[in-house]
């Protein structure tokens, strides 16, 4: 791994992340830049997203840890407990509020189509 000019904290946290991964989440640093991570989140069990694999990219800015990364655990939490009152998509939120059962089936189908496999 290329770790020149990296703060000791990032090296230590990356080693811990690799040795003690969070359940349902894997994050691996790029060989070219250890500030850049490929993240995979498994859809939570007993959710419409179960069986899905959601790929994200994470970058630790130069100002890290004063400027923290902003996503990963929050994405898994949203998959477990969607909040249609604070939506990323108004159409999806409206569907969820008016016909939750159908919206759940749509989420399962989209997971099957767009997030299955590694």
């Amino acid at each position: 791994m290329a770790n020149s000019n990296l703060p000791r904290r990032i090296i230590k946290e990356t080693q811990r992340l690799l040795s003690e991964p969070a359940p349902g989440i894997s994050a691996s640093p790029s060989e070219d830049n250890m500030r850049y991570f490929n993240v995979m989140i498994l859809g939570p069990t007993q959710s419409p997203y179960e069986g899905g694999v959601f790929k994200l990219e994470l970058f630790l800015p130069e100002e890290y840890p004063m400027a923290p990364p902003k996503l990963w655990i929050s994405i898994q939490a949203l998959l477990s407990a969607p909040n249609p009152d604070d939506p990323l998509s108004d159409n999806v939120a409206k569907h969820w509020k008016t016909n939750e059962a159908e919206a759940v089936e749509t989420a399962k189908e989209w997971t099957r189509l767009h997030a299955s496999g590694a």
Side-chain angles (χ1 to χ4, degrees):
M1 293 186 223
N3 61 11
S4 61
N5 299 325
L6 270 181
R8 185 177 301 147
R9 177 176 179 159
I10 290 178
I11 296 170
K12 186 176 178 180
E13 288 179 359
T14 299
Q15 289 170 341
R16 190 178 70 215
L17 182 67
L18 295 174
S19 65
E20 304 170 22
I25 300 174
S26 70
S28 55
S30 166
E31 290 185 18
D32 299 329
N33 184 347
M34 283 188 59
R35 289 181 178 275
Y36 176 84
F37 290 79
N38 291 303
V39 180
M40 288 195 320
I41 297 178
L42 302 180
T45 57
Q46 300 181 344
S47 81
Y49 312 101
E50 183 173 6
V53 178
F54 300 87
K55 297 177 183 178
L56 305 170
E57 296 174 1
L58 177 75
F59 185 77
L60 300 175
E62 286 289 328
E63 301 81 16
Y64 179 83
M66 300 310 289
K70 293 187 168 91
L71 32 108
W72 85 11
I73 299 303
S74 61
I75 296 295
Q76 193 177 42
L78 280 174
L79 291 174
S80 297
N83 181 1
D85 293 323
D86 186 18
L88 295 174
S89 166
D90 290 332
N91 290 336
V92 172
K94 183 177 180 185
H95 191 198
W96 200 275
K97 286 181 173 184
T98 58
N99 189 339
E100 185 175 335
E102 189 176 279
V104 166
E105 288 306 311
T106 300
K108 288 179 181 177
E109 179 68 8
W110 287 1
T111 298
R112 188 185 66 75
L113 290 173
H114 304 292
S116 59

